[in-house]
Amino acid sequence: FKCGASKHSYPLVLPITCVSFTVGKQVDKAAFLNNWKSLVAEEQTKQTTVTSSDGKTLATIRDLFTSAKKLGLTIVEGIDTNPAASLTCTGLFETKTIKVGCMIRVDSMGGSNFRVTVRTGSGLLSNALCRTLVNLIKARIQLLKHLS
């Protein structure tokens, strides 16, 4: 675009969603549990279920959430006693003026059903992040189905 006599160009990777502003954040088990338990207001927690029609496992979702080339969230060590059935990770939603910690759990509910739970200090962010993660899981599962 042009502003006055100057030309400006800003390359953007689209689509831009709330996960575009989220980076992994390392926390220990005690800090995670303390923060998880403190975010109890209804608007701070968003939970929904995703069903995979092709029987993919939690490993697929773990790769999507934690790979540096994808979402880059950080796994919280010591929370999940059965890593094949659940995934706990954290991130930091960060803009120039806002920093909000994000805590995410994905639990296998048997078969190809998964429960995604997001807790943040902002109800708006919890809803947006959960909706985006669920859509990414669905898209990833569908993509893998076509590649198999």
Side-chain angles (χ1 to χ4, degrees), residues 3 16 47 52 58 61 72 81 87 94 101 119 129 134-135 140 145 147:
C3 181
I16 296 176
Q47 188 174 78
S52 165
L58 192 62
I61 297 169
T81 56
L87 168 66
E94 186 174 16
R119 289 189 179 179
L129 191 55
V134 165
N135 287 334
R140 174 71 173 169
K145 183 178 181 181
L147 294 176

Side-chain angles (χ1 to χ4, degrees), residues 113-139:
N113 296 313
F114 302 97
R115 180 178 54 231
V116 178
T117 307
V118 176
R119 289 189 179 179
T120 74
S122 162
L124 184 63
L125 180 58
S126 292
N127 285 326
L129 191 55
C130 189
R131 187 172 44 251
T132 302
L133 294 174
V134 165
N135 287 334
L136 287 171
I137 290 169
K138 287 179 181 178

Side-chain angles (χ1 to χ4, degrees), residues 30-136:
F32 178 88
L33 291 173
N34 186 44
N35 289 327
W36 184 266
K37 291 174 184 175
S38 71
L39 296 171
V40 294
E42 186 177 334
E43 66 272 2
Q44 294 174 320
T45 300
K46 177 65 177 170
Q47 188 174 78
T48 192
T49 302
V50 181
T51 300
S52 165
S53 60
D54 59 1
K56 293 298 180 193
T57 66
L58 192 62
T60 306
I61 297 169
R62 180 177 283 107
D63 177 59
L64 173 65
F65 280 22
T66 61
S67 172
K69 292 182 180 179
K70 295 169 183 140
L71 298 184
L73 297 171
T74 303
I75 293 177
V76 180
E77 300 296 338
I79 297 283
D80 301 313
T81 56
N82 183 359
S86 57
L87 168 66
T88 303
C89 47
T90 57
L92 182 66
F93 177 84
E94 186 174 16
T95 67
K96 187 175 181 180
T97 58
I98 299 170
K99 288 185 182 182
V100 179
C102 307
M103 296 178 288
I104 298 138
R105 278 195 56 87
V106 180
D107 298 293
S108 175
M109 298 170 52
S112 56
N113 296 313
F114 302 97
R115 180 178 54 231
V116 178
T117 307
V118 176
R119 289 189 179 179
T120 74
S122 162
L124 184 63
L125 180 58
S126 292
N127 285 326
L129 191 55
C130 189
R131 187 172 44 251
T132 302
L133 294 174
V134 165
N135 287 334
L136 287 171

